[in-house]
Amino acid sequence: MTINLVDQHGGEVLNMHGSRFRILEDGSRTNHRLGIAEVWLAPDIAGPPQHLHREHEETFFVLSGTVAFTSGHDTHLVTAGQLVTAPIGTPHTFANPDKDEEATMLFTSTPDLYIQYFRDLQRLKPGPDGLNPADVAEVMKKYATEIWHP
């Protein structure tokens, strides 16, 4: 066994509806205990509907810009150098509120369940108003995730 190195040009890049994900670790080298992706959020983009996970936890380390994280009824503006942890069962969503600048984050999923979710989400076809929320919810359900309504 040896270490795995992903350089600045490596990883699997997914372009999705105003966001870009670069999968750095898909779980195949960690016995599916950990997935890692770099996430770019376009300016003024809303993220996923508020949701919660039943089988995995997530962290989001903001690398640049400002990301608005909402959990339940609370919203926090998170800037570079700050970390958000979403434990199992905690409702959350995120968005880039800045109208001019992209935001970037390092994302982890333990175990790696949500890496495949990003791949599945990329396959959805947007309509004139973006992705169909029912389609997104159906993909989320495959990964023990459900939409949360405040």
Side-chain angles (χ1 to χ4, degrees), residues 65-145:
T66 299
V67 181
F69 279 89
T70 300
S71 179
H73 299 286
D74 300 324
T75 298
H76 303 274
L77 295 179
V78 181
T79 58
Q82 294 183 299
L83 176 74
V84 172
T85 300
I88 288 174
T90 304
H92 63 283
T93 188
F94 55 86
N96 181 356
D98 193 296
K99 304 239 183 274
D100 301 312
E101 293 200 28
E102 184 176 77
T104 59
M105 305 182 289
L106 187 65
F107 162 85
T108 68
S109 173
T110 55
D112 68 337
L113 291 177
Y114 240 46
I115 298 298
Q116 187 59 44
Y117 163 81
F118 295 136
R119 291 171 173 148
D120 289 352
L121 194 65
Q122 183 186 31
R123 294 183 189 106
L124 294 180
K125 303 294 182 219
D129 297 323
L131 292 176
N132 178 337
D135 293 343
V136 173
E138 198 59 35
V139 174
M140 285 180 164
K141 191 171 13 172
K142 287 175 51 179
Y143 300 98
T145 299

